[in-house]
Amino acid sequence: MAQGERETEILKAAREEIKKLREEGIEPYAYKYERTHYIKDIHEKYKNIKIDELIEEDVSIAGRLMSIRRHGKASFANISDISGTIQLYIKKNEVGDEAYALFKRLNVGDIIGVRGYIFKTKTGELTIFVKSLKLLSKAIRPLPEKWHGLRDVETRYRKRYLDLIVNPRTKEIFILRSKLIHYMRTYLNENGFLEVETPILQPLYGGAMAKPFKTYHNALDMEMYLRIAPELYLKRLIVGGLEKVYEINKNFRNEGISIRHNPEFTMMELYEAYNDYIGMMKFTEEMIFYIFDKLNLGPEITYQGEKLDFSLPWKRMTFIEAIEEYSGYKVSKMSDKELISLVDKLGLEIVGELTKFKVLKELFETYVEDNLIQPTFIMDYPTEISPLAKKKRDNPDFTERFELFIAGQEVGNAYSELNDPQDQLERFIRQQEEKKKGDMEAHEIDYDYIEALEYGMPPTAGLGIGIDRLVMIATDSPSIREVILFPHLRREKEKDIEDDIKE
RNA sequence: GGGCCGUUAGCUCAGCUGGUAGAGCACCGGACUUUUAAUCCGGGUGUCACAGGUUCGAAUCCUGUACGGCUCACCA
C-alpha cells in the first residue's frame, strides 16, 4: 500500500526534530542507561507507603513513554518496561528548565531513562518524582492508539512489536510461554533427562505422517528435508545409551495453515529407556500438572468458556472404547465387512487402501476428537496407523500407544517404542505399499535407522508434546497464531519506502 | 484449494436505499505546578486495498485481483 501523505508528513517532521536535537547536543539514540530497578520492583517495595510520603531514595528506571498528561509547568506521564508501568511526575522547578524543555518535546513512544524519588499522589498512585531524565531513543512513528490498542489482526501478526508494546495481554502470553518451556525443562532435567539437539535438515524425513519442506544442499549436492519430527534421531541416541533424552525445537510440515496449525511449530519429544507407555502416561500427566502448578494456573483452567479439570489422574480410555462411546457404533462387535460398509453409509473419505483400521481412524476423527474436552488419554491405536509403536502384548492389531487430548485437540502422542528391527522393517515396507496406493504421507524406509535397531534398543517409552497447543490452553488462546510470535502469513505487497528514506 | 465475511486518516471506528469524506485518539500551536481515556482554545489530516465496469454522479452497485479473518478439506 502506498504511503499516505499524513504518514510522510509525520516522518518528515520527526526527522527534523532529530536533526534539531543533535544540533543542540542531545543525542536522540543513546548508548546505555544504568537502571537500578525494574518497575515491578518499585511497586512491590513501595506499595505500602502513605499518600504524599516522599521516599528520598534514588531510583532509576528506563522504558517507553506510554502516555503524557501535561499541565503547564508540571506533567504526568506513564512509562513501561518489561515488568510493568509506573507514573512519572515531572516538575519544572525540580528537574530544571533544560530538562523540562526536553520533556516537553517528547512524544508517546519515546524511550527514556529517569532518576528520582518515590511518592504516592493524593489519588494513591505510586509515582516517580523525577529528578533527571535522559532521552534514550526517539520514536519517529506514532504508536497505535492508547485506549483501543492495536486491534487489526493482520497488523498484530506482521508487526508483532507493536502488538507487544500496546497490548499488555500479548506480552503476558509470550512471557507465560517462555516460563512454560522453562518449567518443562526444569522438570525434565530434574528427572534425569538430557537435553540434546538433532538435525533439522535431514536427508530422509520420518517420525510422523506429513508432507515435508524440501531444500537442497549445494556442497553435498543432495536434496534435504526440514524435519517433520526428531523421533528417529532421538531413538538412535537411546540405542547409543543416552537412556533419557529430550529435545525442544521446531518441526516443519508443509500442510494447511489453520487456527491450530502453523507450518513450523514447537515440539518437545522425549525418550526414556526401560519405560513403557503406561509409565509414560503417568509421567505426562504429572509433568503437565507440575508445569501448570508452577505457572499458578491451578488444577482448573477455563479454556474458551469450558472448565478443564487437570486434577490427577486424568481420564483414560481405549481408542475402541472412545469410538463406541461417542459414535454409538459397537465396532468391537462388528465384522470387517460391516465396518467397511460404514464408509459409504457415513460418507467417510479414505486415503490409500481401504481397511477396517482406516475406517476406525475416520470414525475416531469424525465422532470422538471434538468431544475430548477434559484431559484424556486415548490408548491402544491400530497398528496400521502407528508404524513406530510396539504391538500390544496380547493383540497384534493394536499398539501400545496413547494420545493426549485436551479441549478437543491432540496435545501429545506416545508409544512403547518399537525396538524389534524385523518388525520395524516390515512396518516400513507396509508404509511403502501405502505410499504407492496414494497415501503421500506414508513413511520412507530408513535403513540406517533399522541398522541402529539391529544393534539393540532397550525397551523404551517416547512422548511428544505440542508446545504451541499447550500454551494455547494455558493462555486461553483460540488460535495458534496468538501463541507464536511471528506466525506465517502471505508476503505483503512490496512497499515503496525509497522516497521516504531519501528525505 | 472451496465457501462466507472483511479492507475508509498513523491507530480505533462512523459513513443509511449512489449525490462533494467524518469523529475520537495521536500530532502541531497556545493556556494550565497532583493528573490518570486530564481539561480548555486553535490547526489539518485521506490513492475510501488495487484494477476495471455500470451511472449525469461510486467509499457505497457489479466483476476481477491482492491481503486478512472464520470455516471445510489435509494435518499436530
Side-chain angles (χ1 to χ4, degrees):
Chain A
M1 207 199 315
Q3 192 165 66
E5 258 173 58
R6 177 68 189 147
E7 197 178 350
T8 311
E9 206 175 286
I10 287 169
L11 290 174
K12 206 172 154 188
R15 289 197 190 97
E16 277 305 309
E17 175 69 0
I18 298 275
K19 216 167 118 188
K20 265 196 259 170
L21 284 166
R22 287 216 168 99
E23 280 164 11
E24 293 167 33
I26 299 164
E27 173 51 50
Y29 301 105
Y31 285 85
K32 188 173 182 179
Y33 192 77
E34 297 285 352
R35 50 179 172 171
T36 58
H37 291 76
Y38 284 106
I39 287 168
K40 190 177 154 208
D41 301 335
I42 291 173
H43 280 296
E44 273 167 15
K45 191 167 170 192
Y46 299 105
K47 66 181 174 210
N48 291 322
I49 68 171
K50 291 189 212 81
I51 284 174
D52 279 337
E53 185 182 353
L54 183 70
I55 309 293
E56 295 193 29
E57 183 199 324
D58 260 340
V59 296
S60 56
I61 57 169
R64 193 183 291 272
L65 274 173
M66 298 305 289
S67 63
I68 301 174
R69 296 173 292 285
R70 301 182 199 277
H71 299 268
K73 295 183 183 66
S75 299
F76 290 90
N78 285 85
I79 182 172
S80 291
D81 69 11
I82 183 155
S83 71
T85 297
I86 197 163
Q87 179 167 261
L88 305 178
Y89 181 51
I90 298 144
K91 228 165 135 177
K92 188 175 182 182
N93 57 12
E94 205 56 52
V95 293
D97 293 356
E98 208 176 298
Y100 199 76
L102 172 64
F103 179 77
K104 278 172 86 170
R105 292 161 73 172
L106 298 181
N107 298 116
V108 169
D110 290 347
I111 295 170
I112 61 170
V114 303
R115 185 181 56 76
Y117 295 160
I118 312 284
F119 81 113
K120 208 171 247 186
T121 64
K122 67 183 183 194
T123 54
E125 182 160 353
L126 199 67
T127 301
I128 308 248
F129 190 79
V130 176
K131 303 294 237 180
S132 71
L133 72 102
K134 185 179 181 188
L135 175 60
L136 301 178
S137 186
K138 182 79 189 148
I140 63 173
R141 284 180 186 269
L143 246 34
E145 208 224 5
K146 64 178 172 187
W147 188 243
H148 299 95
L150 179 65
R151 294 264 178 84
D152 183 76
V153 181
E154 187 177 349
T155 311
R156 286 185 49 232
Y157 296 156
R158 287 197 198 277
K159 304 185 183 181
R160 185 66 95 179
Y161 49 93
L162 289 179
D163 190 25
L164 287 164
I165 291 168
V166 301
N167 295 326
R169 180 63 190 151
T170 303
K171 193 158 80 178
E172 284 168 25
I173 286 172
F174 289 104
I175 291 172
L176 185 139
R177 180 182 170 117
S178 173
K179 286 183 178 165
L180 184 147
I181 293 171
H182 167 81
Y183 290 126
M184 184 176 280
R185 279 206 167 91
T186 302
Y187 192 82
L188 293 170
N189 292 344
E190 282 180 359
N191 279 278
F193 283 85
L194 193 68
E195 183 168 12
V196 296
E197 293 174 90
T198 63
I200 286 173
L201 274 179
Q202 302 182 346
L204 276 180
Y205 59 97
M209 312 270 209
K211 293 187 204 85
F213 286 91
K214 270 190 208 170
T215 185
Y216 187 78
H217 191 283
N218 292 340
L220 293 178
D221 187 23
M222 66 190 252
E223 282 214 317
M224 301 196 89
Y225 304 93
L226 296 183
R227 75 172 179 202
I228 58 173
E231 175 156 353
L232 300 181
Y233 283 94
L234 289 169
K235 287 197 278 196
R236 283 172 169 96
L237 298 179
I238 296 296
V239 172
L242 294 185
E243 293 193 1
K244 292 167 95 169
V245 294
Y246 74 98
E247 177 165 12
I248 298 177
N249 220 319
K250 291 284 180 70
N251 289 346
F252 305 82
R253 298 190 186 173
N254 206 341
E255 283 162 356
I257 294 179
S258 83
I259 204 166
R260 294 177 178 188
H261 302 87
N262 194 58
E264 61 181 289
F265 63 102
T266 303
M267 183 86 130
M268 188 286 289
E269 277 201 20
L270 69 80
Y271 293 86
E272 181 181 15
Y274 309 111
N275 201 355
D276 67 4
Y277 81 133
I278 299 292
M280 189 53 71
M281 221 177 297
K282 189 159 180 283
F283 184 87
T284 303
E285 62 186 358
E286 283 173 355
M287 175 175 70
I288 293 175
F289 188 87
Y290 166 91
I291 292 166
F292 281 8
D293 183 56
K294 285 286 181 187
L295 294 171
N296 296 316
L297 290 173
E300 206 167 76
I301 288 177
T302 301
Y303 181 72
Q304 301 298 296
E306 302 254 24
K307 282 216 181 337
L308 306 179
D309 184 3
F310 286 85
S311 303
L312 300 180
W314 298 345
K315 193 174 177 185
R316 287 146 162 81
M317 64 199 302
T318 68
F319 181 79
I320 295 294
E321 284 165 359
I323 292 173
E324 296 195 336
E325 177 164 341
Y326 292 106
S327 78
Y329 294 105
K330 294 290 162 210
V331 291
S332 59
K333 300 209 165 63
M334 292 167 90
S335 68
D336 292 8
K337 230 180 197 162
E338 283 174 306
L339 256 177
I340 286 171
S341 73
L342 285 177
V343 174
D344 290 332
K345 192 175 159 196
L346 303 172
L348 305 177
E349 274 185 46
I350 306 287
V351 183
E353 191 186 351
L354 181 54
T355 66
K356 70 168 180 175
F357 297 109
K358 286 201 182 155
V359 177
L360 290 173
K361 183 181 175 226
E362 277 303 309
L363 287 173
F364 184 82
E365 285 168 4
T366 307
Y367 292 99
V368 181
E369 285 191 358
D370 291 347
N371 291 307
L372 302 175
I373 304 301
Q374 297 304 320
T376 306
F377 292 113
I378 299 294
M379 304 157 60
D380 303 348
Y381 283 71
T383 303
E384 196 176 291
I385 57 171
S386 312
L388 301 166
K390 216 167 179 171
K391 287 172 186 160
K392 271 192 79 70
R393 314 165 197 213
D394 54 4
N395 184 352
D397 286 344
F398 292 88
T399 54
E400 296 202 355
R401 171 183 183 185
F402 71 79
E403 290 198 328
L404 169 61
F405 285 85
I406 305 172
Q409 294 195 60
E410 189 193 331
V411 173
N413 184 19
Y415 328 129
S416 294
E417 300 297 337
L418 177 53
N419 60 345
D420 172 347
Q422 190 58 40
D423 189 359
Q424 183 66 77
L425 180 60
E426 282 162 17
R427 304 268 201 107
F428 276 152
I429 289 168
R430 175 94 182 90
Q431 286 288 304
Q432 280 305 291
E433 288 162 7
E434 278 297 304
K435 197 158 198 168
K436 281 182 199 139
K437 284 171 187 151
D439 185 353
M440 295 312 290
E441 292 176 358
H443 272 79
E444 294 284 340
I445 303 181
D446 188 338
Y447 290 103
D448 184 75
Y449 176 67
I450 297 291
E451 185 179 335
L453 292 185
E454 286 166 352
Y455 284 98
M457 181 168 88
T460 297
L463 167 70
I465 298 279
I467 298 291
D468 310 280
R469 289 184 176 181
L470 197 58
V471 176
M472 283 170 71
I473 288 156
T475 58
D476 194 15
S477 299
S479 167
I480 198 167
R481 295 182 198 103
E482 294 297 326
V483 303
I484 291 174
L485 280 166
F486 299 101
H488 289 290
L489 301 177
R490 264 201 184 81
R491 232 179 119 174
E492 226 179 344
K493 266 183 276 180
E494 287 296 321
K495 215 169 141 184
D496 187 12
I497 55 168
E498 276 184 37
D499 302 345
D500 201 62
I501 288 162
K502 279 179 202 150
E503 276 292 334

